[in-house]
Amino acid sequence: MPHSPRLDTPAFLTLRALLFMPGDDRRKIDKAATLNADAVILDLEDGVALNRKAAARETIAAALHEVDFGRALRIVRINAVSTPFWHDDLAALHTAPPDAIMLPKTESAAQLHAVAQAIADLPLLAIIESGAGVLALNEIATADARLAALVFGAEDYAGDIGATRTPGGEEVLYARSAVVLYAKARRLAAIDTPFVDLHDVDGLRADTERAHRLGYTGKLAIHPRQIEPIQQVFTPTAKEISAALRLIESHEQHQRAGSGVFAFEGKMVDMPIVRAAEAIIARARAAGIEL
């Protein structure tokens, strides 16, 4: 399929469920294109065995040429810059570029620079999944104008620092919060870690709600059944949309009257609250909700 025009950061701020698919399985990729995910991540890294990397590159290149992904963004997760595979990963995409490149195990601005110099003008998503990555968040978040999102990888992070994963996630809370902080400070999308228990829908919903409260704008999915629960959490409710529309209308009225800060339904409102209401409306539109 034809490559879409270059996407800017706002397009990534509206992504709710980003579905991973192994890059060497064309059947699963074809299926993923029909599942109404906000993005499909064609994986060349952990989802592909070492002896299947070359086959996965060919499969992904063909799929990008031939498959209609509908409204879903097409993202390719390449192998980490610390591996010998990433140059070949990017070379395979020259004739069929995706909508964005996802870089795993990002630990420095230099790694982002290396990828940025090797590809065309495509947005980048950096996965933070190690102690070194968390410590380098500031330099990573400011490394390149094409960086559109920071993504948190809790499982690799916990393994890297020797933490034990728990249902509440207290062992990754600092890093999970830091990724949101640096993403939002640099006006980037913040994408949360996947929930690995495929059969625990209630746990997935609770974990997604926790991420939403922290400030994440979307979450990785590793199975099609996870798409809908994630989207539901990140989709504004009718009550939230109605309140946001009323607030924005009141703000516009006060702006015309020359008033900045104003009272709205018993609360004082200034620009950060207005921007939050605008973000709700943007997410509603991205979800296809008629306003």
Side-chain angles (χ1 to χ4, degrees):
M1 302 300 294
H3 173 54
S4 63
R6 184 189 185 282
L7 298 162
D8 292 315
T9 300
F12 294 86
L13 291 169
T14 60
L15 299 181
R16 298 163 298 168
L18 298 83
L19 177 64
F20 272 113
M21 278 292 129
D24 60 342
D25 193 325
R26 178 61 183 266
R27 182 186 64 81
K28 289 184 178 180
I29 292 172
D30 289 345
K31 179 65 175 178
T34 71
L35 294 176
N36 197 39
D38 299 288
V40 175
I41 303 170
L42 308 176
D43 191 21
L44 285 166
E45 196 214 11
D46 289 346
V48 177
L50 292 179
N51 64 353
R52 294 284 296 167
K53 299 293 186 184
R57 294 183 192 110
E58 293 178 2
T59 300
I60 288 175
L64 290 171
H65 269 301
E66 300 164 2
V67 178
D68 183 358
F69 287 83
R71 69 176 188 85
L73 294 190
R74 307 160 307 156
I75 300 171
V76 173
R77 179 168 74 167
I78 63 172
N79 286 278
V81 172
S82 59
T83 73
F85 307 115
W86 69 278
H87 280 294
D88 289 339
D89 293 344
L90 293 177
L93 301 174
H94 282 163
T95 59
D99 296 313
I101 298 293
M102 178 176 280
L103 178 61
K105 298 176 176 61
T106 309
E107 295 185 336
S108 70
Q111 292 175 336
L112 272 172
H113 289 318
V115 173
Q117 291 172 1
I119 61 172
D121 190 23
L122 294 177
L124 302 171
L125 298 86
I127 310 181
I128 308 301
E129 46 190 336
S130 68
V134 172
L135 291 178
L137 268 168
N138 187 53
E139 68 168 271
I140 292 169
T142 57
D144 194 282
R146 281 178 283 172
L147 184 65
L150 294 179
V151 184
F152 181 50
E155 304 307 319
D156 281 271
Y157 170 79
D160 182 60
I161 68 168
T164 301
R165 293 290 276 129
T166 63
E170 60 267 21
E171 69 285 348
V172 300
L173 180 58
Y174 173 81
R176 200 180 193 186
S177 301
V179 170
V180 171
L181 170 63
Y182 283 92
K184 296 304 181 71
R186 302 304 178 186
R187 303 293 187 264
L188 305 173
I191 309 300
D192 190 42
T193 190
F195 186 77
V196 297
D197 189 336
L198 301 182
H199 303 289
D200 186 1
V201 177
D202 291 338
L204 168 65
R205 190 178 300 276
D207 193 58
T208 306
E209 290 172 347
R210 190 176 298 115
H212 185 29
R213 289 193 298 270
L214 285 173
Y216 278 92
T217 52
K219 189 172 181 65
L220 300 175
I222 54 176
H223 192 279
R225 70 168 62 100
Q226 295 183 330
I227 294 172
E228 186 175 358
I230 291 172
Q231 289 178 333
Q232 288 175 348
V233 171
F234 283 108
T235 300
T237 64
K239 182 178 180 181
E240 290 172 331
I241 293 168
S242 176
L245 287 172
R246 294 197 309 274
L247 188 148
I248 291 170
E249 181 181 2
S250 181
H251 166 69
E252 291 172 350
Q253 291 173 351
H254 282 84
Q255 286 290 300
R256 288 192 293 270
S259 176
V261 178
F262 61 96
F264 174 76
E265 298 182 359
K267 297 180 180 179
M268 294 303 297
V269 173
D270 56 8
M271 281 309 299
I273 297 176
V274 173
R275 284 194 291 269
E278 292 172 341
I280 288 173
I281 299 306
R283 288 193 288 116
R285 289 194 175 113
I289 299 173
E290 293 188 10
L291 304 178

